[in-house]
Amino acid sequence: MDIKQLIGEATDYDKKLALEEKKPKSWCKSISAFANCFGGKLIFGVSNDNELVGLADAEGDAEKISEAIKTHLNPIPEFKLYFEKDGEKIFVIVEVLKGQQTPYYYEGDGQLIAFMRIGNESVPATPSQLRELVLRGSGESYDSLKSRYDFDNMSFTKLKSVYKQRTGNTFEDTDYESFGLIDEKGNLTNAGALLADESPVRHSRLFCTRWNGLTKASGIVDALDDKEYTGSLVTLLQAGTDFVRNNSKKAWRKVGDGRIEMPDYPDRAVLEGIVNALIHRNYMEIGSEVHIDMFDDRIEIYSPGGMVSGISLEGKDLLKIPSKRRNPILADIFSRLKYMERRGSGFKKILADYEGQVEFDETKMPVFEADNDDFTLILYNLNYGSNYATHANEDKIQGDTQDDTQGDTQDDTQEKIIKMIKENPQVSTADMAKELKIGIATVKRKIKKMSNVSYVGSGYSGHWEINE
């Protein structure tokens, strides 16, 4: 193993200069986080600035590390402990496997804490994340659990009619259980509650807004269209796709005796994006909903909960990310309805749809942003900045003017972000979004592009730093 190559990573690995026997929490929290998330490696003998120092007594430290894990981790995760050399220097590596008996707690000093891996830090799990860990450890999912609602009070006419329309088959009474809408005792599951015509799950809503311009900044007209939808997930999906279609234009270009139609957004990419947002969201996260925000140049589809595995998509090959289903029953039902595939190829379809468009511009490739907290899909308007005629009164998209405005807006927004950080280094992205009148996901995306801005620490105890 090349130690230098390994320490170039961040999320999948952590490092310690030496074993801190009297402060086991300082490194056991990384063991807990790796086991609760997607596994990882903890290397002893590497300094904070990635200098390869090695250990004076590697064998003795290895025994103490093994004993500390057995003492302070509950339950004890699967791990491998081995030595690596770099010249005369010896390192101890603890490789932690992704656990199945989650949550894995750090136990010590009168504390019992489950940690999660976010970026290059191990932080305490939020209440929502802890509930998900408990479910994962029990082998169950939220959508499979018995709901607190009565099946006899629910109707499923929307689900039945769409099933008949898209498959040609009639929904039978036996399908309620085979689909997972009720359990073997006839109790309504959470999946059933989410798919009922008048879904009683209050936070299962869809907010759609067509903003006037490139940001949510106030102006003469803030929003051109604004809708809030409730009901069955099938209703939300159809309403979301209709909203995008009604607020989009379809450009076209003459060719020979006909013309080539060029929609703002590929229909299948929009469908896949909304399906993923509704099906894979974290329904245990109360107080947040799925949002579709349309701007002149893009659509942002936001879903609470982030990636199931907790990984960040930054720097990852999207075509090689394994499919993980947070709500397998919902995913199976929408597969039966032919809205999605069991193979979890939504990312590939979205990317392929864009690449297959006439006059495709690679700079408009969809962007996926995800972490433990939320998931945002950004679909760029393929016609933004072009001069193709549209079906709406032969209007033209004035690319030069809008591009200049977009650039000025982005630069101005970044300057405002820097100003807020200088005034309050602990300002949250939520407060930034509120002040700037844009989405939190947009704030995060802009900060990622600002190489002179970094966040030091974690959670509320951390702070922003600006490298002049």
Side-chain angles (χ1 to χ4, degrees):
M1 175 184 295
D2 187 342
I3 295 288
K4 293 180 181 178
Q5 181 178 357
L6 178 61
I7 64 175
E9 301 176 2
T11 304
D12 301 341
Y13 111 100
D14 203 352
K15 59 182 181 291
K16 298 294 291 184
L17 175 60
L19 173 63
E20 298 179 86
E21 294 183 63
K22 295 183 179 180
K23 296 181 180 180
K25 182 181 176 182
S26 67
W27 59 272
C28 280
K29 64 182 183 181
S30 295
I31 305 295
S32 166
F34 287 143
N36 284 326
C37 292
F38 34 80
K41 294 182 176 70
L42 176 59
I43 308 173
F44 288 89
V46 181
S47 68
N48 287 332
D49 58 2
N50 292 336
E51 180 183 357
L52 303 182
V53 178
L55 299 173
D57 182 14
E59 291 189 5
D61 286 344
E63 292 182 7
K64 294 173 183 177
I65 291 169
S66 180
E67 188 60 34
I69 292 175
K70 295 174 182 177
T71 302
H72 293 287
L73 272 295
N74 185 14
I76 301 171
E78 288 188 68
F79 67 95
K80 302 176 183 178
L81 195 151
Y82 51 92
F83 303 99
E84 287 291 339
K85 285 187 176 183
D86 182 72
E88 297 299 320
K89 300 171 184 177
I90 303 178
F91 305 84
V92 173
I93 299 181
V94 183
E95 182 178 356
V96 184
L97 305 183
K98 177 181 178 180
Q100 301 300 321
Q101 301 179 51
T102 56
Y104 292 86
Y105 293 96
Y106 164 77
E107 188 173 12
D109 307 319
Q111 298 177 314
L112 190 65
I113 306 174
F115 288 87
M116 297 289 287
R117 194 72 177 164
I118 300 180
N120 62 349
E121 296 181 298
S122 298
V123 300
T126 65
S128 175
Q129 290 169 342
L130 191 57
R131 287 193 292 270
E132 280 203 281
L133 288 173
V134 171
L135 279 179
R136 198 178 93 197
S138 66
E140 297 181 295
S141 59
Y142 167 83
D143 57 354
S144 69
L145 298 178
K146 173 186 173 182
S147 74
R148 56 192 181 91
Y149 308 105
D150 191 345
F151 171 70
D152 293 332
N153 295 331
M154 302 296 157
S155 61
F156 297 87
T157 55
K158 186 65 175 179
L159 174 63
K160 291 178 179 179
S161 64
V162 171
Y163 182 65
K164 176 66 175 179
Q165 176 189 3
R166 295 184 65 85
T167 69
N169 300 320
T170 301
F171 191 96
E172 306 291 345
D173 287 344
T174 54
D175 289 330
Y176 286 113
E177 184 175 346
S178 63
F179 276 50
L181 302 177
I182 60 175
D183 61 22
E184 65 279 0
K185 296 181 180 179
N187 300 308
L188 185 72
T189 63
N190 285 327
L194 288 166
L195 284 160
D197 290 339
E198 302 296 330
S199 175
V201 184
R202 293 181 58 84
H203 58 284
S204 176
R205 296 179 293 178
L206 176 63
F207 289 175
C208 300
T209 307
R210 173 55 170 102
W211 297 95
N212 182 30
L214 298 169
T215 70
K216 297 179 182 179
S218 59
I220 298 176
V221 179
D222 292 347
L224 302 175
D225 195 4
D226 191 12
K227 297 287 192 302
E228 176 183 340
Y229 300 103
T230 60
S232 167
L233 288 182
V234 177
T235 299
L236 299 188
L237 173 61
Q238 293 181 340
T241 54
D242 286 345
F243 183 90
V244 171
R245 188 178 299 109
N246 293 335
N247 284 281
S248 302
K249 295 180 180 180
K250 184 174 289 186
W252 50 267
R253 185 180 66 180
K254 289 184 178 180
V255 288
D257 297 331
R259 68 183 189 182
I260 297 177
E261 293 189 344
M262 304 170 64
D264 287 350
Y265 305 96
D267 288 340
R268 191 173 69 170
V270 172
L271 176 65
E272 290 287 342
I274 300 175
V275 166
N276 283 330
L278 294 172
I279 300 308
H280 300 305
R281 70 156 287 188
N282 182 2
Y283 284 96
M284 291 188 290
E285 189 170 319
I286 310 298
S288 187
E289 306 84 13
V290 173
H291 288 253
I292 299 176
D293 290 303
M294 296 187 67
F295 303 89
D296 287 356
D297 66 332
R298 70 193 186 281
I299 297 174
E300 294 185 3
I301 303 174
Y302 167 85
S303 179
M307 297 293 286
V308 181
S309 60
I311 65 172
S312 170
L313 295 181
E314 188 173 3
K316 300 287 194 306
D317 184 346
L318 298 178
L319 298 179
K320 295 181 179 179
I321 295 177
S323 174
K324 301 289 184 181
R325 301 188 297 174
R326 175 179 277 114
N327 301 300
I329 292 179
L330 293 179
D332 180 69
I333 291 174
F334 274 72
S335 174
R336 292 172 186 254
L337 295 174
K338 302 186 185 301
Y339 280 125
M340 63 185 300
E341 295 182 6
R342 286 185 172 87
R343 295 180 306 210
S345 57
F347 283 0
K348 296 178 182 179
K349 286 183 179 179
I350 292 172
L351 296 175
D353 270 13
Y354 266 76
E355 291 174 344
Q357 292 299 311
V358 177
E359 304 291 342
F360 173 65
D361 181 352
E362 289 187 358
T363 64
K364 295 181 178 180
M365 183 65 78
V367 175
F368 304 89
E369 298 176 350
D371 50 30
N372 288 82
D373 301 319
D374 50 39
F375 175 92
T376 302
L377 167 64
I378 303 173
L379 300 176
Y380 288 101
N381 188 329
L382 288 165
N383 294 320
Y384 179 78
S386 66
N387 291 312
Y388 295 118
T390 68
H391 71 301
N393 301 320
E394 300 295 316
D395 290 339
K396 290 189 176 182
I397 305 172
Q398 301 300 326
D400 294 340
T401 301
Q402 290 181 336
D403 284 344
D404 291 341
T405 302
Q406 182 185 20
D408 293 341
T409 302
Q410 288 177 340
D411 292 341
D412 183 53
T413 300
Q414 291 176 350
E415 289 178 2
K416 290 179 179 178
I417 289 174
I418 290 176
K419 181 180 179 181
M420 283 188 280
I421 290 175
K422 287 182 176 179
E423 293 176 351
N424 177 17
Q426 291 187 305
V427 63
S428 68
T429 52
D431 289 336
M432 291 182 192
K434 184 177 181 181
E435 178 68 21
L436 297 170
K437 294 182 174 62
I438 59 178
I440 295 177
T442 304
V443 170
K444 291 181 178 179
R445 188 176 70 253
K446 290 183 180 297
I447 291 177
K448 284 182 179 179
K449 297 179 180 178
M450 299 166 67
S451 58
N452 61 330
V453 176
S454 59
Y455 194 77
V456 179
S458 62
Y460 295 108
S461 62
H463 66 276
W464 298 100
E465 286 189 357
I466 298 175
N467 304 314
E468 300 292 352

